[in-house]
Amino acid sequence: MVTSLTSQNSGRIPDSVEAAGRVAAERFARWVEDGAGRLPLPGSGGTGERFTALQSLGRADLSLARLAEGHADATAILHELGAPAPAVGERWGVWAARPPGTTLRARPDGNGGWLLDGLKGYCSGAHTCTHALVTADTDDGHRLFAVATDHPGYAPVAGTWRAVGMAGSDTPDVRFTAVPARATGGVDAYLRRPGFAHGGVGVAACWLGGARGVADALFAAARHRVQDPLVAAHLGAVDVLLHSAQWAIDVAASEIDADPLEDGPPARLRAARVRALVADVCARVLDEVGRALGAGPLCHDSEHAQRVADLTVYIRQHHAERDLAALGRLVTEETTDAVGAKEGTDG
């Protein structure tokens, strides 16, 4: 059963956010029941199929894609770390963000388990997920924990998700008070596993689906304005952008299937490059479509306006220059290693 957005707290959520969250939650629950188990795991030989499915969800509804990608990522993480897979009817999320002002700590409960206390930010599906994989600080370092959301110490914080874009993703802060948890993997296992980079490409596939959804309005307009050279020019630019991003996703899927356990610089570089490229493509598609169609569809087509707002928010999971700087450091390290290896062979 999907929990009401207001039932676990007394704060008032804007009606538009509550309605969007309810719709996305219902779609997410149906997706888990109908198709989640058939999604191939990353590196299983069907990674392209996995990314195509996530892209299709993004094209239809980015909030749904965000929730579905979280469940799919949780399933892959549990598999990779040797933990039990989600049971029938369970809806999982992955909550690993560490925004300023939020701290979640885990402490041993004395019986081999753990208890979580503190605040976790950006918990997509907080009112919808039955379980989540959550990162928390321990005395030994950062670790991943599996939790159920039906404990009385689990409480989404009212008023912390008032978004217009991605309203349906239901991503508030969550307060944990002595919530029982199960450790999943060792210290830093969440970040060190090969699938961390693979999952980053899956998020980019969702972004690309959102860009295709925004571009659909331009494709539809072009069919009715075949004599307009400016619309045709914008359409051509968008077509090139979408195909370049698609090629990057497809190549990444093939490389992941060819070497699924690669967790070194090549995997991290691949994910960083694909995410940077797709985020840039999405931003440029938003711009091209807006310049081609003007304010009309943003003001009179609520579905298109929501797609634009959703994509604008979702691609901010790519942290712009901060992520580009991290990519630059990876490139420098790879180049330095390559030069060192060459000098070693030349000597």
Side-chain angles (χ1 to χ4, degrees), residues 16 20 100 178 183 188 212 232 259-260 314 317:
S16 59
D188 288 334
R212 290 192 181 280
D259 193 359
Y314 200 0
Q317 275 197 343

Side-chain angles (χ1 to χ4, degrees), residues 4-67:
S4 166
L5 295 181
T6 55
S7 64
Q8 296 189 36
N9 54 68
S10 59
R12 182 60 189 157
I13 297 172
D15 290 343
S16 59
V17 174
E18 185 173 5
R22 186 165 52 249
V23 170
E26 291 170 352
R27 291 175 176 174
F28 175 45
R30 288 198 300 270
W31 179 80
V32 171
E33 291 172 2
D34 296 340
R38 296 192 297 273
L39 202 64
L41 292 168
S44 65
T47 304
E49 180 184 344
R50 177 185 181 89
F51 291 165
T52 296
L54 292 174
Q55 187 178 156
S56 296
L57 289 170
R59 189 172 191 169
D61 181 343
L62 272 175
S63 287
L64 168 61
R66 174 68 190 92
L67 297 173

Side-chain angles (χ1 to χ4, degrees), residues 317-328:
Q317 275 197 343
H318 184 267
H319 303 111
E321 283 72 20
R322 193 174 300 278
D323 281 357
L324 290 175
L327 172 57

